Amino acid sequence: MSCLSRLNQTLLVLALASSFAYAGETTNKIGITMVDIPAGSFLMGSCKPPANCSNADPDAYDVEIPQHRVNVRAFQMGKTEVTLGQFKKFIAAAGRTELLSGDFMKYNAYGDNTPVVEVSWHDAQDFIKWLNSVDGGGYRLPSEAEWEYACRAGGQHKYCGGNDLNALGWYDDNSGKRPRPVGGKQANAFGLHDMSGNVYEWVQDCQNHSYRGAPTDGSAWTSGECDARVLRGGSWFNVAKVARAANRSIFYLAGSRNFINGFRLARTR
């Protein structure tokens, strides 16, 4: 990397840090706090050995390449994953009691402040449709690019906010084999908690097995194998390398539910 490139990267990090220092937070009618995320540009994905690059990652998967630059518009991101308590408000208000299956009750047994799990991509979309009807609109799932941009928060750390996963997130070595209340670990530079670990988070994008042809404007990738959707961030159940900022090794059918899958909101500003 040239001296000029290093300078430009340093200036970008400083600009993002400054934006965070003055970032706004708003809390909506059901208690979800949304954080203002500034516009910016970042390198998405991984450089995988034996590629000749300065930041090669031996843990990278083929689906994380090629590393590519993405420009992201300003938006809002949920400070934490959607919690069980917040999701229960949707169930009650929308009369969606059929969601209270045996598996839902079994795996959402750790308190209202833990991330909701056993929700499909379609369930998340139903929650968002309801929330938009009661709280002004604009809510959605983040695109995969927005998710990784918000995770990295101006840095190129291994995890979302740093290189020490024990400080940042819950994973198999420190979780006690269960999900944990949101916000219990260190936030990243944008003020977002639990982006590495705790529960996987649905994003808007369709499944694609590499970044070849991916959008570079921060929008969701709406072509590919769209019966399956991307999840990001790792979970309390998984090993550390799955919680890496670049990891995208997990795709699930959009209608499937799982004990480690939840979601986080984005909102168009």
Side-chain angles (χ1 to χ4, degrees):
M1 182 183 293
S2 69
C3 291
L4 181 59
S5 296
R6 289 193 185 96
L7 176 60
N8 288 338
Q9 187 176 56
T10 300
L11 290 174
L12 174 62
V13 171
L14 290 174
L16 290 171
S18 175
S19 297
F20 164 63
Y22 298 98
E25 290 186 2
T26 56
T27 300
N28 68 17
K29 292 179 180 179
I30 67 165
I32 297 175
T33 298
M34 303 297 294
V35 177
D36 291 341
I37 306 298
S41 176
F42 80 113
L43 279 177
M44 184 174 184
S46 294
C47 180
K48 183 181 178 182
N52 183 21
C53 55
S54 61
N55 61 341
D57 185 352
D59 290 328
Y61 297 100
D62 287 342
V63 294
E64 298 168 23
I65 60 173
Q67 194 174 53
H68 57 292
R69 184 159 293 280
V70 179
N71 299 309
V72 179
R73 295 181 179 181
F75 67 105
Q76 289 186 317
M77 191 78 155
K79 190 169 187 174
T80 70
E81 301 105 333
V82 172
T83 66
L84 173 62
Q86 292 158 355
F87 196 79
K88 283 162 63 176
K89 293 177 182 179
F90 155 65
I91 291 174
R96 294 293 304 276
T97 54
E98 80 280 2
L99 293 172
L100 300 174
S101 66
D103 281 344
F104 185 94
M105 301 302 291
K106 177 180 178 180
Y107 294 114
N108 285 288
Y110 300 101
D112 281 356
N113 203 37
T114 53
V116 67
V117 293
E118 284 290 324
V119 290
S120 69
W121 186 88
H122 291 305
D123 296 335
Q125 298 292 348
D126 289 344
F127 175 92
I128 289 165
K129 182 178 179 180
W130 167 77
L131 183 58
N132 280 327
S133 74
V134 301
D135 196 57
Y139 293 100
R140 54 184 174 79
L141 288 179
S143 70
E144 189 174 8
E146 288 174 329
W147 190 96
E148 188 171 325
Y149 174 72
C151 154
R152 293 188 179 280
Q156 280 292 320
H157 305 105
K158 187 162 189 169
Y159 306 107
C160 295
N163 295 318
D164 179 3
L165 185 54
N166 280 305
L168 294 163
W170 301 106
Y171 67 113
D172 70 339
D173 277 358
N174 68 3
S175 67
K177 309 304 180 187
R178 50 162 286 187
R180 294 291 177 169
V182 298
K185 291 288 188 177
Q186 177 182 310
N188 72 4
F190 283 160
L192 306 174
H193 293 270
D194 299 306
M195 294 202 72
S196 284
N198 216 0
V199 301
Y200 270 109
E201 301 175 15
W202 289 109
V203 296
Q204 186 67 23
D205 300 50
C206 300
Q207 172 179 314
N208 284 275
H209 294 284
S210 79
Y211 282 131
R212 293 176 181 85
T216 58
D217 62 356
S219 62
W221 202 349
T222 56
S223 63
E225 299 172 39
C226 292
D227 57 338
R229 300 286 171 155
V230 182
L231 292 121
R232 298 295 300 261
S235 81
W236 59 268
F237 183 77
N238 298 104
V239 296
K241 74 175 184 177
V242 177
R244 292 177 302 110
N247 180 58
R248 64 187 300 264
S249 60
I250 298 296
F251 310 94
Y252 274 82
L253 292 174
S256 66
R257 301 179 175 119
N258 193 280
F259 68 98
I260 55 175
N261 294 350
F263 67 105
R264 182 187 305 257
L265 295 177
R267 193 179 196 185
T268 302
R269 291 175 60 181

